[in-house]
Amino acid sequence: MNRADALHVVEESIIQVVPDADLAALGPDDAFRDALEMDSLDFLSYIEILGERTGVRIDDADTPQLTTLSGSADFLVAHTP
């Protein structure tokens, strides 16, 4: 998966959890939980959706990397063919 594809999957996964999210205003390193007002359950839902959409196994230790657009995209690029 290339970076553009990864960002697209991340954004689509966020929209499933926070349908009214203003992704245009979200910077690449802005924490989702602050910028999108995601609570813990929303974030867990995002992680589950991301894993389901990509087939990537996401462990608890991986979640700190998945809190931003950049981190999520980097993770997917590193863990998908």
Side-chain angles (χ1 to χ4, degrees):
M1 178 177 294
N2 65 42
R3 187 164 178 78
D5 291 340
L7 283 170
H8 183 71
V9 170
V10 169
E11 290 174 348
E12 286 184 343
S13 299
I14 290 170
I15 291 298
Q16 284 189 272
V17 177
V18 185
D20 60 342
D22 183 5
L23 297 178
L26 184 63
D29 296 315
D30 291 343
F32 298 148
R33 293 177 94 182
D34 296 331
L36 303 176
E37 298 181 18
M38 288 177 123
D39 62 23
S40 296
L41 292 177
D42 291 337
F43 184 70
L44 288 175
S45 293
Y46 160 71
I47 297 297
E48 288 177 14
I49 291 167
L50 194 63
E52 289 170 4
R53 291 183 58 111
T54 61
V56 173
R57 178 180 164 91
I58 302 173
D59 295 319
D60 289 343
D62 300 323
T63 58
Q65 186 176 350
L66 302 171
T67 60
T68 65
L69 287 173
S70 283
S72 295
D74 290 345
F75 179 84
L76 290 179
V77 168
H79 291 88
T80 57

Coordinates of all heavy atoms in Angstrom, one line a residue:
M1 N 0.9 -1.2 0.0 CA 0.0 0.0 0.0 C 0.9 1.2 0.0 O 1.8 1.3 0.8 CB -0.9 0.0 1.2 CG -1.8 1.2 1.4 SD -2.9 1.1 2.8 CE -4.0 -0.3 2.4
N2 N 0.6 2.2 -0.9 CA 1.4 3.4 -0.9 C 0.8 4.4 0.1 O -0.3 4.2 0.6 CB 1.5 4.0 -2.3 CG 0.2 4.4 -2.9 OD1 -0.7 5.0 -2.2 ND2 0.0 4.1 -4.2
R3 N 1.4 5.5 0.3 CA 1.0 6.5 1.3 C -0.3 7.1 0.9 O -1.2 7.3 1.8 CB 2.1 7.6 1.5 CG 1.8 8.5 2.6 CD 3.0 9.3 3.0 NE 2.7 10.2 4.1 CZ 2.6 9.9 5.3 NH1 2.7 8.7 5.8 NH2 2.3 10.9 6.2
A4 N -0.6 7.4 -0.3 CA -1.8 8.1 -0.7 C -3.0 7.1 -0.4 O -4.0 7.5 0.1 CB -1.8 8.4 -2.2
D5 N -2.8 5.8 -0.8 CA -3.9 4.8 -0.5 C -4.1 4.7 1.0 O -5.2 4.6 1.5 CB -3.5 3.5 -1.1 CG -3.5 3.5 -2.6 OD1 -4.2 4.4 -3.2 OD2 -2.9 2.6 -3.2
A6 N -3.0 4.7 1.8 CA -3.1 4.6 3.2 C -3.9 5.8 3.8 O -4.7 5.6 4.6 CB -1.7 4.5 3.8
L7 N -3.6 7.0 3.4 CA -4.3 8.1 3.9 C -5.8 8.1 3.5 O -6.6 8.4 4.3 CB -3.7 9.4 3.3 CG -2.4 9.8 3.9 CD1 -1.7 11.0 3.2 CD2 -2.6 10.3 5.4
H8 N -6.1 7.6 2.3 CA -7.5 7.5 1.9 C -8.2 6.5 2.9 O -9.3 6.8 3.3 CB -7.5 7.0 0.5 CG -8.9 6.9 -0.1 ND1 -9.7 8.0 -0.3 CD2 -9.7 5.8 -0.4 CE1 -10.9 7.6 -0.8 NE2 -10.9 6.3 -0.8
V9 N -7.6 5.3 3.1 CA -8.2 4.3 4.0 C -8.4 4.9 5.4 O -9.4 4.7 6.1 CB -7.4 3.0 4.0 CG1 -7.9 2.1 5.1 CG2 -7.4 2.4 2.7
V10 N -7.4 5.6 5.9 CA -7.5 6.2 7.2 C -8.6 7.2 7.3 O -9.4 7.2 8.2 CB -6.1 6.9 7.6 CG1 -6.3 7.8 8.9 CG2 -5.0 5.9 7.8
E11 N -8.7 8.1 6.3 CA -9.8 9.1 6.3 C -11.2 8.5 6.2 O -12.1 8.9 6.9 CB -9.6 10.1 5.1 CG -8.4 11.0 5.4 CD -8.0 11.9 4.2 OE1 -8.6 11.6 3.1 OE2 -7.2 12.8 4.4
E12 N -11.3 7.4 5.4 CA -12.6 6.7 5.3 C -12.9 6.0 6.6 O -14.1 6.0 7.0 CB -12.6 5.7 4.1 CG -12.6 6.4 2.8 CD -12.7 5.3 1.7 OE1 -12.4 4.2 1.9 OE2 -13.1 5.7 0.6
S13 N -12.0 5.5 7.3 CA -12.2 4.9 8.6 C -12.6 5.9 9.6 O -13.5 5.6 10.4 CB -10.9 4.1 9.0 OG -10.6 3.1 8.1
I14 N -12.0 7.0 9.6 CA -12.4 8.1 10.5 C -13.8 8.5 10.3 O -14.6 8.7 11.3 CB -11.4 9.3 10.4 CG1 -10.0 8.9 11.0 CG2 -12.0 10.5 11.2 CD1 -9.0 10.0 10.7
I15 N -14.2 8.7 9.1 CA -15.5 9.2 8.7 C -16.6 8.1 9.2 O -17.7 8.5 9.6 CB -15.7 9.4 7.2 CG1 -14.8 10.7 6.8 CG2 -17.1 9.6 6.8 CD1 -15.3 12.0 7.5
Q16 N -16.3 6.9 9.2 CA -17.2 5.9 9.7 C -17.5 6.1 11.2 O -18.6 5.8 11.7 CB -16.7 4.5 9.4 CG -16.8 4.0 8.0 CD -16.5 2.6 7.8 OE1 -15.4 2.2 7.6 NE2 -17.6 1.8 7.9
V17 N -16.5 6.6 11.9 CA -16.6 6.7 13.4 C -17.1 8.1 13.7 O -18.0 8.3 14.6 CB -15.3 6.4 14.1 CG1 -15.4 6.7 15.6 CG2 -14.8 5.0 13.8
V18 N -16.6 9.1 13.0 CA -17.0 10.5 13.3 C -17.5 11.1 11.9 O -16.7 11.8 11.2 CB -15.8 11.3 13.8 CG1 -16.2 12.7 14.2 CG2 -15.1 10.6 15.0
P19 N -18.7 10.9 11.6 CA -19.2 11.2 10.2 C -19.1 12.7 9.9 O -19.0 13.1 8.8 CB -20.7 10.8 10.3 CG -20.8 9.8 11.4 CD -19.7 10.2 12.4
D20 N -19.2 13.6 10.9 CA -19.1 15.0 10.7 C -17.7 15.6 10.8 O -17.5 16.8 10.9 CB -20.0 15.8 11.6 CG -19.8 15.5 13.1 OD1 -19.0 14.6 13.4 OD2 -20.2 16.3 13.9
A21 N -16.7 14.7 10.8 CA -15.3 15.1 11.0 C -14.9 16.0 9.8 O -15.1 15.7 8.7 CB -14.4 13.9 11.1
D22 N -14.2 17.1 10.1 CA -13.7 18.1 9.1 C -12.2 17.7 8.9 O -11.3 18.2 9.4 CB -13.8 19.5 9.6 CG -13.3 20.5 8.6 OD1 -13.0 20.1 7.5 OD2 -13.2 21.7 9.0
L23 N -12.1 16.7 7.9 CA -10.7 16.2 7.6 C -9.8 17.2 7.0 O -8.6 17.2 7.1 CB -10.9 15.0 6.8 CG -11.6 13.8 7.4 CD1 -11.7 12.6 6.4 CD2 -10.9 13.3 8.7
A24 N -10.5 18.2 6.3 CA -9.7 19.3 5.7 C -8.9 20.1 6.7 O -7.9 20.7 6.4 CB -10.5 20.1 4.8
A25 N -9.5 20.2 7.9 CA -8.9 21.0 8.9 C -8.0 20.2 9.8 O -7.3 20.8 10.7 CB -10.0 21.6 9.8
L26 N -7.9 18.9 9.6 CA -7.1 18.0 10.4 C -5.6 18.0 9.8 O -5.4 17.6 8.7 CB -7.6 16.6 10.4 CG -7.0 15.6 11.3 CD1 -7.1 16.0 12.7 CD2 -7.6 14.2 11.0
G27 N -4.7 18.5 10.6 CA -3.3 18.4 10.2 C -2.7 17.0 10.3 O -3.3 16.2 11.0
P28 N -1.7 16.8 9.6 CA -1.1 15.4 9.5 C -0.6 14.9 10.9 O -0.6 13.7 11.1 CB 0.1 15.5 8.5 CG 0.4 16.9 8.4 CD -0.9 17.7 8.7
D29 N -0.3 15.8 11.8 CA 0.2 15.4 13.1 C -0.7 15.8 14.2 O -0.3 15.7 15.4 CB 1.6 15.9 13.3 CG 2.6 15.4 12.3 OD1 2.6 14.1 12.1 OD2 3.4 16.1 11.8
D30 N -2.0 16.2 13.9 CA -2.9 16.5 14.9 C -3.5 15.2 15.5 O -3.9 14.3 14.8 CB -4.1 17.3 14.3 CG -3.7 18.7 13.9 OD1 -2.6 19.2 14.3 OD2 -4.5 19.3 13.1
A31 N -3.6 15.1 16.8 CA -4.1 14.0 17.5 C -5.6 13.9 17.2 O -6.3 14.9 17.5 CB -3.8 14.0 19.0
F32 N -6.1 12.8 16.7 CA -7.5 12.6 16.5 C -8.4 12.9 17.7 O -9.4 13.5 17.5 CB -7.8 11.1 16.0 CG -7.1 10.7 14.8 CD1 -6.8 9.4 14.7 CD2 -6.9 11.5 13.7 CE1 -6.1 8.9 13.5 CE2 -6.2 11.1 12.6 CZ -5.9 9.8 12.5
R33 N -8.0 12.4 18.8 CA -8.8 12.5 20.0 C -9.1 13.9 20.4 O -10.2 14.3 20.8 CB -8.2 11.7 21.1 CG -8.2 10.2 20.8 CD -7.6 9.4 21.9 NE -8.6 9.0 22.8 CZ -8.4 8.3 23.9 NH1 -7.1 8.0 24.2 NH2 -9.3 7.9 24.7
D34 N -8.1 14.8 20.2 CA -8.3 16.2 20.5 C -9.0 16.9 19.3 O -9.9 17.7 19.5 CB -6.9 16.9 20.8 CG -6.2 16.3 22.0 OD1 -7.0 15.8 22.9 OD2 -5.0 16.3 22.0
A35 N -8.4 16.8 18.1 CA -8.9 17.5 17.0 C -10.3 17.1 16.6 O -11.1 18.0 16.1 CB -8.0 17.4 15.8
L36 N -10.7 15.9 16.7 CA -12.0 15.4 16.3 C -12.9 15.1 17.5 O -14.0 14.5 17.3 CB -11.8 14.1 15.4 CG -11.0 14.3 14.2 CD1 -10.8 13.0 13.5 CD2 -11.6 15.3 13.3
E37 N -12.4 15.3 18.7 CA -13.2 15.0 19.9 C -13.6 13.6 20.0 O -14.7 13.3 20.4 CB -14.4 16.0 20.0 CG -14.0 17.4 20.1 CD -15.1 18.4 20.3 OE1 -16.2 17.9 20.6 OE2 -14.9 19.6 20.0
M38 N -12.7 12.7 19.6 CA -13.0 11.3 19.7 C -12.8 10.8 21.2 O -11.8 11.2 21.8 CB -11.9 10.4 18.9 CG -12.1 10.5 17.4 SD -10.7 9.6 16.7 CE -11.7 8.4 15.7
D39 N -13.7 10.0 21.7 CA -13.5 9.5 23.0 C -12.8 8.1 22.8 O -12.5 7.7 21.7 CB -14.8 9.4 23.8 CG -15.9 8.5 23.2 OD1 -15.5 7.6 22.4 OD2 -17.0 8.7 23.4
S40 N -12.6 7.5 23.9 CA -11.9 6.2 23.9 C -12.6 5.1 23.0 O -12.0 4.4 22.3 CB -11.7 5.6 25.3 OG -10.8 6.5 26.0
L41 N -13.9 5.1 23.2 CA -14.7 4.1 22.4 C -14.6 4.4 20.9 O -14.5 3.5 20.1 CB -16.1 4.0 22.9 CG -16.3 3.4 24.3 CD1 -17.8 3.5 24.7 CD2 -15.8 2.0 24.3
D42 N -14.7 5.7 20.5 CA -14.6 6.1 19.1 C -13.2 5.7 18.6 O -13.1 5.2 17.5 CB -14.7 7.6 19.0 CG -16.1 8.1 19.2 OD1 -17.1 7.4 19.1 OD2 -16.2 9.3 19.5
F43 N -12.2 5.9 19.4 CA -10.8 5.6 18.9 C -10.7 4.1 18.7 O -10.1 3.6 17.7 CB -9.8 6.1 19.9 CG -8.4 5.9 19.4 CD1 -7.8 6.5 18.3 CD2 -7.5 4.9 20.0 CE1 -6.5 6.3 17.9 CE2 -6.3 4.7 19.6 CZ -5.8 5.4 18.5
L44 N -11.2 3.3 19.6 CA -11.2 1.8 19.5 C -11.9 1.4 18.3 O -11.5 0.5 17.6 CB -11.7 1.2 20.8 CG -10.8 1.2 22.0 CD1 -11.5 0.6 23.2 CD2 -9.5 0.5 21.7
S45 N -13.1 2.0 18.0 CA -13.8 1.7 16.8 C -13.0 2.0 15.6 O -13.0 1.2 14.6 CB -15.2 2.5 16.8 OG -16.0 2.1 17.8
Y46 N -12.3 3.1 15.6 CA -11.5 3.5 14.4 C -10.4 2.4 14.2 O -10.2 2.0 13.1 CB -10.8 4.9 14.7 CG -9.6 5.1 13.9 CD1 -9.7 5.3 12.5 CD2 -8.3 5.1 14.4 CE1 -8.6 5.5 11.7 CE2 -7.2 5.3 13.7 CZ -7.3 5.6 12.3 OH -6.2 5.8 11.6
I47 N -9.8 2.0 15.3 CA -8.7 0.9 15.2 C -9.3 -0.4 14.6 O -8.7 -1.0 13.7 CB -8.1 0.7 16.6 CG1 -7.4 1.9 17.1 CG2 -7.2 -0.5 16.5 CD1 -6.2 2.4 16.3
E48 N -10.5 -0.7 15.1 CA -11.1 -2.0 14.6 C -11.5 -1.8 13.1 O -11.2 -2.8 12.3 CB -12.4 -2.3 15.4 CG -12.1 -2.7 16.8 CD -13.4 -3.0 17.6 OE1 -14.5 -3.0 17.0 OE2 -13.3 -3.1 18.8
I49 N -12.0 -0.7 12.7 CA -12.4 -0.5 11.3 C -11.2 -0.5 10.4 O -11.1 -1.1 9.4 CB -13.2 0.8 11.2 CG1 -14.6 0.7 11.8 CG2 -13.3 1.2 9.7 CD1 -15.3 2.0 12.0
L50 N -10.1 0.2 10.9 CA -8.9 0.2 10.1 C -8.3 -1.2 9.9 O -7.9 -1.5 8.8 CB -7.9 1.1 10.9 CG -6.6 1.6 10.1 CD1 -7.0 2.4 8.9 CD2 -5.7 2.3 11.0
G51 N -8.3 -2.0 11.0 CA -7.8 -3.3 10.8 C -8.7 -4.2 9.9 O -8.2 -5.0 9.1
E52 N -10.0 -4.0 10.0 CA -10.9 -4.8 9.1 C -10.7 -4.4 7.7 O -10.7 -5.3 6.8 CB -12.3 -4.6 9.6 CG -12.7 -5.2 10.9 CD -14.1 -4.8 11.4 OE1 -14.8 -4.0 10.7 OE2 -14.4 -5.2 12.5
R53 N -10.6 -3.1 7.4 CA -10.5 -2.6 6.0 C -9.2 -3.0 5.4 O -9.1 -3.2 4.2 CB -10.6 -1.1 6.0 CG -12.0 -0.6 6.3 CD -12.1 0.9 6.2 NE -11.7 1.2 4.8 CZ -12.5 1.8 3.9 NH1 -13.7 2.0 4.3 NH2 -12.1 2.1 2.7
T54 N -8.1 -3.2 6.2 CA -6.8 -3.4 5.6 C -6.3 -4.9 5.8 O -5.4 -5.3 5.1 CB -5.8 -2.5 6.2 OG1 -5.7 -2.7 7.6 CG2 -6.1 -1.0 5.9
G55 N -7.0 -5.6 6.7 CA -6.5 -6.9 7.0 C -5.2 -6.9 7.9 O -4.6 -8.0 8.0
V56 N -4.8 -5.8 8.4 CA -3.6 -5.6 9.2 C -4.0 -5.9 10.6 O -5.0 -5.4 11.2 CB -3.0 -4.2 9.0 CG1 -1.9 -4.0 10.0 CG2 -2.6 -4.0 7.6
R57 N -3.2 -6.7 11.3 CA -3.4 -7.0 12.7 C -2.8 -5.8 13.5 O -1.6 -5.4 13.3 CB -2.6 -8.3 13.1 CG -2.7 -8.6 14.6 CD -2.0 -9.8 14.9 NE -1.7 -9.9 16.3 CZ -2.6 -10.5 17.2 NH1 -3.7 -11.1 16.7 NH2 -2.3 -10.6 18.5
I58 N -3.6 -5.2 14.3 CA -3.2 -4.1 15.1 C -3.2 -4.5 16.6 O -4.3 -4.8 17.1 CB -4.1 -2.9 14.8 CG1 -4.1 -2.5 13.4 CG2 -3.7 -1.7 15.7 CD1 -5.1 -1.4 13.0
D59 N -2.1 -4.5 17.2 CA -1.9 -4.9 18.6 C -2.1 -3.6 19.4 O -1.9 -2.5 19.0 CB -0.6 -5.5 18.8 CG -0.5 -6.9 18.1 OD1 -1.4 -7.6 18.1 OD2 0.6 -7.1 17.5
D60 N -2.3 -3.8 20.7 CA -2.4 -2.7 21.7 C -1.2 -1.8 21.6 O -1.2 -0.6 21.7 CB -2.6 -3.2 23.1 CG -4.0 -3.8 23.3 OD1 -4.9 -3.5 22.5 OD2 -4.2 -4.5 24.3
A61 N 0.0 -2.5 21.5 CA 1.3 -1.7 21.5 C 1.4 -0.8 20.2 O 2.2 0.1 20.2 CB 2.4 -2.7 21.5
D62 N 0.6 -1.1 19.2 CA 0.6 -0.3 18.0 C -0.2 1.0 18.1 O 0.0 1.9 17.3 CB 0.1 -1.1 16.8 CG 1.0 -2.3 16.5 OD1 2.2 -2.2 16.7 OD2 0.4 -3.3 16.1
T63 N -1.2 1.0 19.0 CA -2.2 2.1 19.0 C -1.6 3.5 19.2 O -2.1 4.5 18.6 CB -3.3 1.9 20.0 OG1 -2.8 1.7 21.3 CG2 -4.1 0.7 19.6
P64 N -0.5 3.7 19.9 CA 0.0 5.1 20.0 C 0.5 5.7 18.7 O 0.4 6.9 18.5 CB 1.2 4.9 21.0 CG 0.9 3.7 21.8 CD 0.2 2.8 20.9
Q65 N 0.9 4.8 17.8 CA 1.3 5.3 16.5 C 0.1 5.7 15.6 O 0.3 6.4 14.6 CB 2.1 4.2 15.8 CG 2.7 4.6 14.4 CD 3.6 3.5 13.8 OE1 3.9 2.5 14.4 NE2 3.9 3.8 12.6
L66 N -1.1 5.2 15.9 CA -2.2 5.4 15.1 C -3.1 6.6 15.5 O -4.3 6.6 15.2 CB -3.1 4.1 15.1 CG -2.3 2.9 14.6 CD1 -3.1 1.6 14.9 CD2 -1.9 3.0 13.2
T67 N -2.6 7.5 16.2 CA -3.4 8.6 16.8 C -3.4 9.8 15.9 O -4.1 10.8 16.2 CB -2.8 9.0 18.1 OG1 -1.4 9.5 18.0 CG2 -2.9 7.9 19.2
T68 N -2.6 9.8 14.7 CA -2.6 10.9 13.8 C -2.7 10.4 12.4 O -2.5 9.2 12.1 CB -1.3 11.7 13.9 OG1 -0.2 10.8 13.5 CG2 -1.1 12.2 15.3
L69 N -3.0 11.3 11.4 CA -3.0 10.9 10.0 C -1.7 10.3 9.6 O -1.6 9.2 9.0 CB -3.4 12.0 9.1 CG -4.8 12.5 9.1 CD1 -5.0 13.8 8.3 CD2 -5.7 11.4 8.6
S70 N -0.6 11.0 9.9 CA 0.7 10.6 9.5 C 1.1 9.3 10.1 O 1.6 8.4 9.4 CB 1.8 11.6 9.9 OG 1.8 12.7 9.0
G71 N 0.9 9.2 11.4 CA 1.3 7.9 12.1 C 0.5 6.7 11.6 O 1.0 5.6 11.3
S72 N -0.8 6.9 11.3 CA -1.6 5.8 10.8 C -1.2 5.4 9.4 O -1.1 4.2 9.1 CB -3.1 6.3 10.8 OG -3.6 6.5 12.1
A73 N -1.0 6.4 8.5 CA -0.5 6.1 7.2 C 0.8 5.4 7.2 O 1.0 4.4 6.5 CB -0.5 7.4 6.4
D74 N 1.8 5.9 8.0 CA 3.1 5.3 8.1 C 3.0 3.8 8.5 O 3.6 2.9 8.0 CB 4.0 6.0 9.0 CG 4.4 7.4 8.5 OD1 4.3 7.7 7.3 OD2 4.9 8.2 9.3
F75 N 2.1 3.6 9.5 CA 1.9 2.2 10.0 C 1.4 1.3 8.9 O 1.9 0.2 8.7 CB 0.9 2.3 11.2 CG 0.6 0.9 11.8 CD1 1.4 0.3 12.7 CD2 -0.5 0.2 11.4 CE1 1.2 -0.9 13.2 CE2 -0.8 -1.1 11.9 CZ 0.1 -1.6 12.8
L76 N 0.4 1.8 8.2 CA -0.2 1.0 7.1 C 0.8 0.7 6.0 O 0.9 -0.4 5.5 CB -1.5 1.6 6.6 CG -2.7 1.7 7.5 CD1 -3.8 2.4 6.8 CD2 -3.1 0.3 7.9
V77 N 1.5 1.7 5.6 CA 2.6 1.5 4.6 C 3.6 0.4 5.0 O 4.0 -0.4 4.2 CB 3.2 2.8 4.2 CG1 4.5 2.6 3.4 CG2 2.3 3.8 3.5
A78 N 4.0 0.5 6.3 CA 4.9 -0.5 6.8 C 4.4 -1.9 7.0 O 5.2 -2.8 7.0 CB 5.5 0.1 8.1
H79 N 3.1 -2.0 7.1 CA 2.5 -3.3 7.5 C 1.7 -3.9 6.4 O 1.0 -5.0 6.6 CB 1.7 -3.2 8.8 CG 2.6 -3.0 9.9 ND1 2.9 -1.7 10.4 CD2 3.2 -3.9 10.8 CE1 3.7 -1.9 11.4 NE2 3.9 -3.1 11.7
T80 N 1.6 -3.4 5.2 CA 0.9 -3.9 4.1 C 1.8 -4.1 2.9 O 2.8 -3.4 2.7 CB -0.3 -3.1 3.7 OG1 0.1 -1.8 3.3 CG2 -1.3 -3.0 4.8
P81 N 1.5 -5.1 2.0 CA 2.3 -5.3 0.8 C 2.1 -4.1 -0.2 O 1.2 -3.4 -0.2 CB 1.8 -6.6 0.3 CG 0.6 -7.0 1.0 CD 0.5 -6.1 2.2

